[in-house]
Amino acid sequence: MSESTPAPSVTGQDEVVDLCRELIRIDTSNYGDHSGPGERAAAEYVAEKLAEVGLEPKIIESHQGRASTVARIEGEDSSRPALLIHGHTDVVPANADDWTHHPFSGEIADGCVWGRGAVDMKDMDAMTLAVVRDRLRSGRRPPRDIVLAFLADEEAGGIYGARHLVDNHRHLFDGVTEAIGEVGGFSFTVNENLRLYLIETAQKGMHWMRLTVEGTAGHGSMTNNDNAITELCEAVARLGRHKFPVRLTKTVRSFLDELSDALGVELDPEDMDATLAKLGGIAKIIGATLRNTAAPTMLGAGYKVNVIPGQATAHVDGRFLPGFEDEFLADLDRILGPRVRREDVHADKALETGFDGDLVEAMQTALKAEDPIARAVPYCLSGGTDAKSFDDLGIRCFGFAPLKLPPELDFAGMFHGVDERVPVDGLKFGVRVLDRFIDNC
Ligand SMILES: [Zn+2]
């Protein structure tokens, strides 16, 4: 703020940092059951901020304390299809002892707002609130209707948030054809002339599986050629070591083409280890989008050292690329073999849309206006988001939560990581980009 100008009215850029800090201070840890504090306090906070600028937000509680907030902004042309901007208000838990600054303090240090949710995703929640409040205070209606959704439970699959709304309150999304949400729009600085902004246009699907082997129970001292633990462990080890083949989806191919152009080098999809080494922090994000993956994550069997149990189980986090689910399941069965029973404990689809159209144009234009060396590129997310639920309504979903990041920040490592933090300048940049994006949406 310049000292020479008379007290200007509060802008989105002024507010965004405080909104983000206040949201972080509301503990919304999601333990995957109802043992956490829930999202009710955050839902009420958001509703109050929206009501202050004349909206009529609805709070929808799916289970005691598990609440989401939805509001609709009337645009200049309500006959056009509407845009959804969605964010989740829950966060994964944090162990305060591991952190430099308390994870629910929202402290500002070293130019960053620190705390659980700083990048996943109270930053975008705050940016959305800041932009909407600024626009409505100054009477700048969006060109079309915008539905805002601040959702519970994303970190546990959205059952009590997005999934609940889509299944039970779908009228809230009437007329919505496109959406923006998390895990996209962040920057990767290539050099002083080029900064890529990764727009999420695809995401992997998931099969979270339980594997079971039944064997013959018996005394640990006796001969037993049908030991469930031995059989299961061999199968799990085969799976854990298996490298699924590289499969280039439309999105990943287009990302690699952009990257190859940006870096001025030929990229060999069959030798991606060398390519990934050039990518620094985002290698973690991109590496897992080249192939299906299956990571063993839990093991269980037995109850006494001299008793061979009749059963052994393992859990595996399986992720498949858009278009490669059938191949994934066939590969799993082949690798695991006939002794292993495989059941899903949770499954969800993969998503993929094109990197084209007016909305994508609006993202590119807004980024370029705020960062002259910006280039927006499509990418595939290895995880999943609430977009999977909204896709059921035929909504075309993008990950676009714009952030300009300092090159040295390990952004991928911030997600669910210790010392999660977001640069203050990044938040303000995001507000400016989102505001321009809404102008043209
Ligand atoms: Zn998230």
Side-chain angles (χ1 to χ4, degrees):
M1 235 182 304
S2 150
E3 284 121 54
S4 56
T5 46
S9 59
V10 180
T11 69
Q13 288 191 78
D14 300 332
E15 269 198 328
V16 66
V17 174
D18 284 340
L19 289 167
C20 185
R21 302 178 73 189
E22 285 166 15
L23 280 167
I24 287 171
R25 288 186 196 125
I26 304 172
D27 180 355
T28 49
S29 298
N30 186 348
Y31 294 89
D33 50 28
H34 300 306
S35 65
E39 301 86 354
R40 178 89 207 184
E44 285 174 3
Y45 173 85
V46 167
E48 186 190 307
K49 295 292 166 191
L50 296 174
E52 274 174 15
V53 290
L55 295 177
E56 292 170 12
K58 288 190 179 64
I59 294 179
I60 293 125
E61 205 169 63
S62 54
H63 186 274
Q64 196 179 6
R66 311 305 303 275
S68 301
T69 301
V70 180
R72 187 177 278 256
I73 308 172
E74 201 181 309
E76 272 157 11
D77 181 359
S78 284
S79 70
R80 285 182 57 199
L83 172 72
L84 169 66
I85 303 181
H86 62 98
H88 61 85
T89 56
D90 64 321
V91 294
V92 292
N95 179 12
D97 293 342
D98 302 335
W99 287 56
T100 307
H101 302 285
H102 195 283
F104 300 107
S105 66
E107 196 142 338
I108 296 181
D110 308 321
C112 290
V113 177
W114 294 61
R116 178 56 86 217
V119 304
D120 186 14
M121 61 170 297
K122 287 174 169 171
D123 57 337
M124 176 62 174
D125 294 335
M127 280 153 44
T128 304
L129 284 175
V131 169
V132 163
R133 283 163 60 84
D134 189 341
R135 295 186 70 99
L136 293 181
R137 271 193 304 255
S138 53
R140 294 182 297 130
R141 299 231 151 247
R144 54 167 157 160
D145 284 10
I146 291 181
V147 175
L148 303 172
F150 297 85
L151 303 158
D153 200 34
E154 192 276 340
E155 296 293 359
I159 312 293
Y160 296 94
R163 175 53 52 200
H164 175 80
L165 295 185
V166 165
D167 289 347
N168 302 293
H169 302 272
R170 62 171 61 200
H171 63 279
L172 293 171
F173 307 101
D174 280 351
V176 174
T177 56
E178 294 172 313
I180 61 166
E182 66 176 327
V183 212
F186 53 90
S187 68
F188 168 63
T189 304
V190 177
N191 55 44
E192 71 256 26
N193 300 315
L194 181 63
R195 204 168 358 256
L196 301 181
Y197 286 81
L198 278 61
I199 313 292
E200 186 210 307
T201 56
Q203 51 181 256
K204 287 174 106 173
M206 59 182 84
H207 281 280
W208 290 349
M209 297 164 275
R210 179 172 42 240
L211 309 180
T212 307
V213 169
E214 310 283 352
T216 305
H219 199 289
S221 71
M222 296 180 192
T223 304
N224 186 332
N225 293 320
D226 187 33
N227 184 318
I229 294 182
T230 309
E231 292 292 333
L232 179 83
C233 287
E234 282 182 352
V236 168
R238 280 197 302 277
L239 185 60
R241 286 190 216 287
H242 183 74
K243 215 160 184 192
F244 289 83
V246 169
R247 295 284 183 246
L248 291 186
T249 61
K250 185 176 62 178
T251 302
V252 174
R253 185 177 294 279
S254 140
F255 174 79
L256 292 176
D257 285 348
E258 293 279 357
L259 194 66
S260 155
D261 189 44
L263 297 172
V265 291
E266 279 301 315
L267 298 181
D268 177 3
E270 292 303 325
D271 182 19
M272 288 310 297
D273 291 342
T275 301
L276 291 176
K278 298 181 185 129
L279 298 183
I282 62 167
K284 279 185 222 167
I285 298 177
I286 302 309
T289 66
L290 298 171
R291 43 169 59 97
N292 297 329
T293 59
T297 47
M298 294 162 69
L299 270 179
Y303 52 91
K304 194 164 186 297
V305 67
N306 60 352
V307 180
I308 297 170
Q311 193 187 71
T313 61
H315 284 76
V316 172
D317 182 350
R319 310 279 179 151
F320 59 91
L321 291 163
F324 293 93
E325 183 173 15
D326 291 345
E327 178 182 282
F328 182 54
L329 296 177
D331 281 353
L332 286 174
D333 287 339
R334 185 173 43 75
I335 295 158
L336 292 171
R339 285 297 304 272
V340 178
R341 185 169 80 238
R342 171 174 65 75
E343 306 156 275
D344 277 336
V345 291
H346 179 69
D348 214 332
K349 60 188 167 183
L351 304 179
E352 186 162 46
T353 186
F355 190 58
D356 50 22
D358 292 345
L359 201 68
V360 170
E361 275 304 307
M363 294 177 202
Q364 308 241 39
T365 308
L367 286 167
K368 195 91 185 159
E370 291 298 333
D371 183 359
I373 63 165
R375 192 202 291 186
V377 296
Y379 92 102
C380 176
L381 176 68
S382 60
T385 70
D386 282 335
K388 291 189 195 302
S389 296
F390 294 119
D391 181 78
D392 284 358
L393 299 179
I395 298 172
R396 191 179 176 212
C397 295
F398 296 91
F400 183 63
L403 272 185
K404 185 165 97 180
L405 300 167
E408 65 280 5
L409 186 75
D410 173 17
F411 185 61
M414 294 282 118
F415 283 80
H416 301 188
V418 169
D419 285 346
E420 183 178 346
R421 59 195 183 277
V422 65
V424 166
D425 288 347
L427 287 172
K428 294 184 177 181
F429 171 86
V431 164
R432 297 194 302 272
V433 172
L434 271 185
D435 202 6
R436 287 179 186 273
F437 166 76
I438 289 175
D439 278 341
N440 293 315
C441 75

